[in-house]
């Protein structure tokens, strides 16, 4: 039993965190709220800087140009992407789309190519359902439409569709799809509806293989969004702790009042205990444990709860300044709200756990 | 990161499991440890544990332990609760005082006290709180006055768990009347049978005398029973408090075991069982959340144990831990009582779908003390805010 990260893992995380911190400041994020194209130069440079770190291929075999590391190596990096409210799909590319596509025969060479070209990737078309997954892509006259795809700015799209009862996973480049941005609260993650034409050349797997992979896709999406949520918690709580230490009322810092302390301590405790659940889930996916569905659902439900509470108390402890568009808090708060509900919210994951645990306890 | 156990650890688990299955008494066999008879029942069981060398597995062999590491201790605890082992009557001694004695005690103190503590021959109680010093522990007023060869203790302690029947007491007293607050305190190891000690048992919420007031009237304590230096009482006491709030008092197995039973109870409950409505819709989420929190506490403990093994000292995070486990305990039992519905207040044992429903009520009353003792959760939140988030003191 060794529940810790190695020095190499911590060093890699810290290296990535430094680059993310340099390239993704609150000013960069505020610019996205002025207009998605307002600071595109910085956006492109930021993704290049990330791609140059080789983190996108962290989970990919060496023969495909990856680093052959595992989810335990990547999970802390995903937390750091949350800390800075990264507008690009770092953990979605590295932790969700690439490993999934690379596990298929047709997808593997495409991942190799995408890594060489430094592409970013996102996905859509499937969500957790009551018992199994549900497919959200609709098809009409040979044209597919996939709603609620996050990171509409991505270069590559992994999309799930059911055609005449056959479940299929496709991998399509940006110039082959039509991306229609959907206005949403968090403007830094550009939600979009993607319209596309499924074809034999875009398909990377189908049938029973696709069915297994969709469950993995959703588990991976839940795990890495949980990691970002904990990074967001850290960011919101640290911003709030600084604010209440500086802000004075009645001649003293408002953070010296117990009412404020207890709000923030409660959120900090939630974060403290969500972390080991996240790391255990990463370990379970990395080792292919039979308990991965349970462990991932636990991580996501705890992370969603922790982020909801951190957002709520951060806003309250800031007072009116936290409610403004110009202050930094809403950048993290809006991402937290979105990710808390996406890929299964806390309650739906607890419902999954109830089914899994009662089945296991017989 | 490696979340598996080694082969020797798995063998240790099997050995513990086999012994406990053969030796742990059936539920209900031992009378309540907060009664005089039950106290003795539990001491007999402590002796059995000690004879099997299972009472203090992490201690040196010289004092009856097995000298195993913190991971093995956690494994033992998991097996202990899995086997349905009773509450430990010696817990104030073995979990709270012992870590402090190992850190600050003299050779003579270790020789005189450890083995008897481990075997249940001597049960220890804690003498810290006073009528006017609870959460504000530094406000204690009970005095120690230097005399030839030792000290005379005067004053009053209260809420002493096990105090009604304990043989010895570890307490802090003001040894320097001129010093203020945290200074001038000294930690003493006291014989409860010494002349001048008067015990007044206090009935707890369940009516049993789980704790007591203890009055000291010129009670003599020899110099050799000062623990740590004179005037160092606060530092020594905080070492114990860290143990109490942290992992040594409440091992996670206690909660994961109860949480598993709670999940069984939910599965055995069907529509109409609870006050006429379907609990799956109304309570299931609360149940699963309590189950997950117990599981999270276990994982967090393994993480802390990994750090402790690498030489890390548990600091302010012990306060976060104390808040979490005490609330998990309340939440587990509260969810169970909600599932029991209108029958929840009955003491008689009932059964639903093959699941035993006794013990939830007692467990709930016991759990309710958690957010109060060992420093109230409000005090712990102050510590978390100030030392983990850097908020200003006020």
């Amino acid at each position: 039993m060794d529940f810790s990260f190695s020095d190499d893992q911590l060093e890699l995380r810290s290296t990535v965190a430094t680059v993310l911190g340099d390239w993704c400041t609150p000013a960069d994020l505020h610019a996205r709220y002025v207009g998605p194209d307002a600071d595109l130069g910085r956006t492109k440079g930021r993704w290049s800087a990330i791609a140059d770190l080789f983190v996108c291929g962290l989970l990919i075999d060496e023969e495909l140009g990856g680093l052959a590391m595992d989810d335990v190596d990547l999970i802390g990096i995903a937390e750091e992407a949350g800390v800075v409210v990264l507008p690009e799909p770092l953990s979605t590319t590295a932790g969700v789309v690439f490993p999934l596509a690379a596990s298929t025969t047709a997808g593997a060479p495409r991942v190799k190519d995408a890594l060489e070209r430094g592409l970013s990737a996102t996905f859509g078309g499937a969500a957790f359902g009551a018992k199994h997954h549900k497919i959200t892509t609709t098809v009409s006259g040979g044209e597919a439409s996939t709603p609620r795809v996050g990171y509409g700015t991505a270069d590559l799209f992994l999309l799930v569709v059911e055609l005449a009862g056959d479940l299929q996973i496709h991998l399509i480049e940006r110039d082959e799809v039509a991306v229609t941005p959907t206005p949403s609260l968090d403007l830094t993650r550009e939600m979009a509806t993607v319209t596309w034409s499924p074809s034999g050349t875009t398909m990377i797997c189908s049938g029973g293989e696709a069915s297994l992979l969709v469950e993995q896709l959703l588990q991976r999406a839940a795990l890495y969004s949980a990691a970002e949520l904990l990074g967001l918690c850290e960011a919101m709580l640290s911003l709030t702790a600084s604010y209440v230490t500086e802000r004075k009322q009645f001649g003293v810092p408002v953070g010296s009042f117990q009412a404020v302390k207890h709000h923030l301590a409660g959120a900090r405790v939630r974060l403290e205990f969500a972390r080991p659940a996240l790391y255990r889930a990463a370990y379970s996916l990395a080792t292919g444990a039979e308990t991965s569905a349970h462990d991932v659902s636990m991580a996501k439900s705890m992370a969603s709860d922790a982020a909801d509470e951190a957002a709520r108390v951060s806003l309250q402890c800031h007072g009116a300044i936290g409610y403004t568009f110009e202050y930094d808090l809403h950048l993290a708060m809006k991402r937290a709200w979105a990710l808390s509900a996406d890929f299964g919210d806390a309650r739906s994951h607890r419902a999954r756990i109830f089914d899994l645990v009662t089945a296991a306890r017989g | 990161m490696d979340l598996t156990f080694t082969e020797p650890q798995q063998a240790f688990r099997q050995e513990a499991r086999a012994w406990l299955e053969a030796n742990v008494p059936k539920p209900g066999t031992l009378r309540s440890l907060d009664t005089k008879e039950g106290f003795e029942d539990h001491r007999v069981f402590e002796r059995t544990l000690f004879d099997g060398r299972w009472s203090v597995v992490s201690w040196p062999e010289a004092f009856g332990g097995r000298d195993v590491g913190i991971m093995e201790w956690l494994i033992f605890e998991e097996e202990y609760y899995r086997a349905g082992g009773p509450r430990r009557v010696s817990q104030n001694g073995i979990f709270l005082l012992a870590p402090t004695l190992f850190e600050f005690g003299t050779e003579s103190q270790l020789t005189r006290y450890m083995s008897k503590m481990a075997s249940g021959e001597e049960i220890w109680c804690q003498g810290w709180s006073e009528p006017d010093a609870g959460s504000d522990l530094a406000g204690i007023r009970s005095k120690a006055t230097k005399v030839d060869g030792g000290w005379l203790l005067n004053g009053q302690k209260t809420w002493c768990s096990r105090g009604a029947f304990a043989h010895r007491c570890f307490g802090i007293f003001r040894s320097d009347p001129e010093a203020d607050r945290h200074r001038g305190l000294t930690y003493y190891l006291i014989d409860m049978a010494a002349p001048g000690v008067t015990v007044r048992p206090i009935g707890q919420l369940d009516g049993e005398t789980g704790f007591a007031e203890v009055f000291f009237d010129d009670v003599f304590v020899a110099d050799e029973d000062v623990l740590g230096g004179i005037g160092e009482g606060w530092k020594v006491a905080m070492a114990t408090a860290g143990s109490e709030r942290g992992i040594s008092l409440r091992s996670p197995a206690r909660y994961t075991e109860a949480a598993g039973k709670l999940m069984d109870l939910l599965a055995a409950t069907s529509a109409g069982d609870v006050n006429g409505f379907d609990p799956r819709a109304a309570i299931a989420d609360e149940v699963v959340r309590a189950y997950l929190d117990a599981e999270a506490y276990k994982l967090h403990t393994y993480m802390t144990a990994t750090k402790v093994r690498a030489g890390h000292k548990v600091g302010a995070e012990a306060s976060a831990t104390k808040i979490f486990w005490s609330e998990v305990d309340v939440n587990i039992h509260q969810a169970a009582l909600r599932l029991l519905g209108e029958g929840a207040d009955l003491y008689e044992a009932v059964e639903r779908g093959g699941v035993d429903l006794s013990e939830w009520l007692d467990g709930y009353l016991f759990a309710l003390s958690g957010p109060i003792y060992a420093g109230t959760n409000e005090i712990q939140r102050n510590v978390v805010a100030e030392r983990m988030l850097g908020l200003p003191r006020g």
Side-chain angles (χ1 to χ4, degrees):
Chain A
M1 177 65 62
D2 174 9
F3 212 139
S4 67
F5 292 98
S6 67
D7 289 344
D8 285 350
Q9 285 165 336
L10 294 174
E11 197 181 314
L12 178 62
R13 173 179 177 157
S14 156
T15 304
V16 176
T18 305
V19 171
L20 294 179
D22 289 346
W23 277 95
C24 190
T25 63
D28 291 316
L29 297 168
H30 283 296
R32 302 286 290 228
Y33 279 88
V34 176
D37 300 325
D39 198 6
L40 215 55
R42 181 90 170 157
T43 298
K44 284 184 171 160
R46 183 161 54 232
W47 184 257
S48 296
I50 290 167
D52 287 349
L53 294 169
F54 301 108
V55 286
C56 294
L58 214 75
L59 306 187
I60 305 303
D61 287 348
E62 283 168 355
E63 53 265 35
L64 298 179
L67 296 176
M69 294 163 87
D70 68 29
D71 296 289
V72 178
D73 298 296
L74 183 57
I75 200 72
I77 292 171
E79 283 182 86
E80 297 297 343
V83 168
V84 298
V85 202
L86 190 68
E88 289 78 31
L90 168 54
S91 64
T92 304
T93 302
V96 184
V97 176
F98 282 3
L100 206 87
S103 71
T104 66
T105 312
R110 311 247 341 248
V111 171
K112 182 170 190 280
D113 171 64
L115 279 173
E116 282 168 3
R117 292 159 61 203
L119 303 186
S120 64
T122 189
F123 73 95
F128 285 112
K131 286 291 169 199
H132 299 289
H133 49 258
K134 62 181 182 199
I135 303 305
T136 58
T137 302
T138 56
V139 183
S140 167
E143 194 172 70
S145 175
T146 306
R148 284 196 61 74
V149 178
Y151 306 105
T153 51
D155 303 313
L156 201 57
F157 293 79
L158 183 143
L159 299 166
V160 183
V161 65
E162 199 169 84
L163 281 176
D166 183 35
L167 189 65
Q168 302 179 349
I169 300 178
H170 295 255
L171 196 59
I172 312 191
E173 301 231 1
R174 180 174 192 82
D175 56 12
E176 294 175 279
V177 302
V179 178
T180 311
T182 322
S184 77
L185 201 56
D186 171 18
L187 285 184
T188 65
R189 197 176 59 134
E190 193 170 304
M191 299 303 294
T193 295
V194 178
T195 323
W196 53 291
S197 302
S199 75
T201 51
T202 59
M203 190 170 78
I204 57 169
C205 72
S206 65
E209 185 190 7
S211 188
L212 287 175
L213 286 186
V214 167
E215 170 67 22
Q216 279 188 34
L217 172 78
L218 293 172
Q219 283 188 24
R220 293 195 153 276
L223 174 73
Y224 283 100
S225 59
E228 291 196 35
L229 282 165
L230 296 192
L232 288 158
C233 283
E234 190 75 58
M236 289 187 285
L237 292 177
S238 112
L239 183 66
T240 310
S242 303
Y243 180 77
V244 300
T245 302
E246 285 161 22
R247 166 77 175 166
K248 287 189 175 168
Q249 288 286 274
F250 306 101
V252 294
V254 295
S256 64
F257 294 119
Q258 288 199 351
V260 171
K261 282 181 180 168
H262 290 190
H263 273 319
L264 290 171
R268 182 66 183 76
V269 170
R270 276 268 141 222
L271 170 61
E272 178 78 12
F273 284 86
R275 272 215 179 97
L278 175 74
Y279 299 152
R280 197 259 300 260
Y283 179 84
S284 293
L285 274 190
T287 55
E290 284 177 10
T291 54
S292 69
H294 169 281
D295 300 344
V296 166
S297 283
M298 174 174 176
K300 180 60 165 65
S301 70
M302 297 200 74
S304 288
D305 276 348
D308 287 348
E309 185 170 345
R312 186 78 180 80
V313 304
S314 293
L315 177 58
Q316 186 64 26
C317 293
H318 269 89
I321 187 75
Y323 198 74
T324 65
F325 208 62
E326 73 208 47
Y327 187 71
D328 295 345
L329 179 63
H330 79 105
L331 304 167
M333 197 162 62
K334 288 173 178 171
R335 178 70 65 82
W337 287 334
L339 289 183
S340 165
D342 274 359
F343 318 119
D345 67 358
R347 280 180 177 74
S348 63
H349 278 291
R350 285 197 286 269
R352 274 167 66 85
I353 285 167
F354 175 70
D355 290 340
L356 291 164
V357 173
T358 44
R361 289 182 74 88
Chain B
M1 190 172 292
D2 176 3
L3 305 188
T4 59
F5 293 105
T6 62
E7 275 186 26
Q9 284 170 337
Q10 290 175 38
F12 176 82
R13 182 187 292 281
Q14 290 310 321
E15 190 188 349
R17 181 172 297 184
W19 189 90
L20 289 164
E21 275 174 6
N23 290 281
V24 167
K26 298 227 171 346
T29 316
L30 306 187
R31 291 164 285 188
S32 163
L33 72 82
D34 296 331
T35 63
K36 191 162 183 56
E37 309 76 40
F39 185 83
E40 295 308 321
D41 288 352
H42 283 74
R43 281 181 73 208
V44 170
F45 177 65
E46 288 295 332
R47 179 76 216 186
T48 309
L49 268 178
F50 180 75
D51 290 341
R53 282 204 307 127
W54 292 108
S55 77
V56 286
V57 292
S58 60
W59 288 19
E61 292 183 11
F63 302 126
R66 292 174 179 242
D67 221 351
V68 296
I70 188 165
M71 292 300 174
E72 285 77 7
W73 177 71
L74 288 169
I75 290 170
F76 170 77
E77 288 287 303
E78 286 176 4
E79 292 304 319
Y80 186 81
Y81 283 99
R82 182 180 182 276
R87 275 166 62 199
R88 304 288 302 270
V89 65
S90 56
Q91 74 164 32
N92 293 65
I94 61 175
F95 294 147
L96 302 187
L97 174 59
T100 313
L101 266 168
F102 281 127
E103 189 170 341
F104 298 98
T106 62
E107 278 301 313
S108 153
Q109 287 169 343
L110 293 176
T111 308
R112 282 182 287 134
Y113 296 130
M114 300 318 275
S115 296
K116 287 179 182 175
M117 187 190 299
S119 68
E121 184 178 336
E122 285 182 349
I123 302 296
W124 289 76
C125 68
Q126 187 179 31
W128 286 19
S129 292
E130 296 179 4
D132 292 323
S135 290
D136 182 15
L137 187 63
I140 62 167
R141 288 189 293 195
S142 292
K143 286 183 299 187
T145 312
K146 189 75 188 90
V147 293
D148 192 25
W151 299 76
L152 284 182
L153 307 183
N154 281 285
Q156 179 187 355
K157 295 291 178 182
T158 192
W159 319 134
C160 306
S161 293
R162 309 284 88 73
F165 314 111
H167 308 93
R168 302 197 67 88
C169 174
F170 54 100
I172 34 178
F173 290 74
R174 196 160 290 287
S175 52
D176 179 354
E178 304 297 314
D180 191 33
R181 303 284 298 164
H182 309 86
R183 288 174 290 277
L185 302 174
T186 299
Y187 201 115
Y188 297 95
L189 305 171
I190 307 154
D191 182 357
M192 292 288 278
V197 175
T198 308
V199 175
R200 191 180 76 81
I202 304 173
Q204 292 185 325
L205 214 48
D206 61 0
E208 306 292 0
T209 50
F211 50 28
E213 280 180 298
V214 182
F215 299 88
F216 298 85
D217 185 12
D218 278 346
V219 175
F220 179 77
V221 176
D223 285 328
E224 61 176 6
D225 279 328
V226 169
L227 177 55
I230 293 158
E232 306 261 291
W234 186 260
K235 187 179 84 179
V236 179
M238 285 307 104
T240 299
S243 307
E244 189 173 13
R245 290 169 198 156
I247 59 176
S248 66
L249 179 65
R250 289 287 172 257
S251 63
R254 170 186 157 72
Y255 309 111
T256 50
E257 200 56 38
K261 287 180 184 157
L262 176 63
M263 293 292 273
D264 290 343
L265 176 58
L266 176 60
T269 302
S270 46
D273 272 352
V274 186
N275 302 354
F277 69 97
D278 184 356
R280 283 174 181 257
I283 309 177
D285 189 62
E286 184 183 333
V287 165
V288 180
R289 192 167 168 164
Y291 156 82
L292 287 180
D293 283 350
E295 183 78 4
Y297 181 54
K298 177 180 83 177
L299 297 176
H300 188 271
T301 304
Y302 280 120
M303 209 170 190
T304 305
T306 301
K307 285 195 239 169
V308 167
R309 203 173 46 189
H312 171 84
K313 286 209 89 159
V314 177
E317 67 262 40
S319 291
T321 306
K322 197 262 161 168
I323 294 167
F324 198 79
W325 63 247
S326 59
E327 293 185 351
V328 168
D329 206 13
V330 173
N331 292 343
I332 289 171
H333 289 86
Q334 195 162 271
L337 294 190
R338 284 191 186 145
L339 280 173
L340 296 183
E342 285 173 344
D345 61 338
L346 299 178
Y347 274 116
E348 66 193 31
V350 261
E351 180 248 23
R352 178 184 289 170
V355 178
D356 179 15
L357 304 184
S358 55
E359 297 188 8
W360 285 117
L361 185 56
D362 275 345
Y364 180 60
L365 294 184
F366 182 66
L368 284 175
S369 64
I372 300 169
Y373 67 71
T376 61
N377 285 10
E378 285 67 33
I379 295 296
Q380 309 303 343
R381 286 193 180 89
N382 291 349
V383 175
V384 170
E386 287 162 18
R387 291 174 54 195
M388 292 176 83
L389 287 161
L391 264 50
R393 297 177 67 90

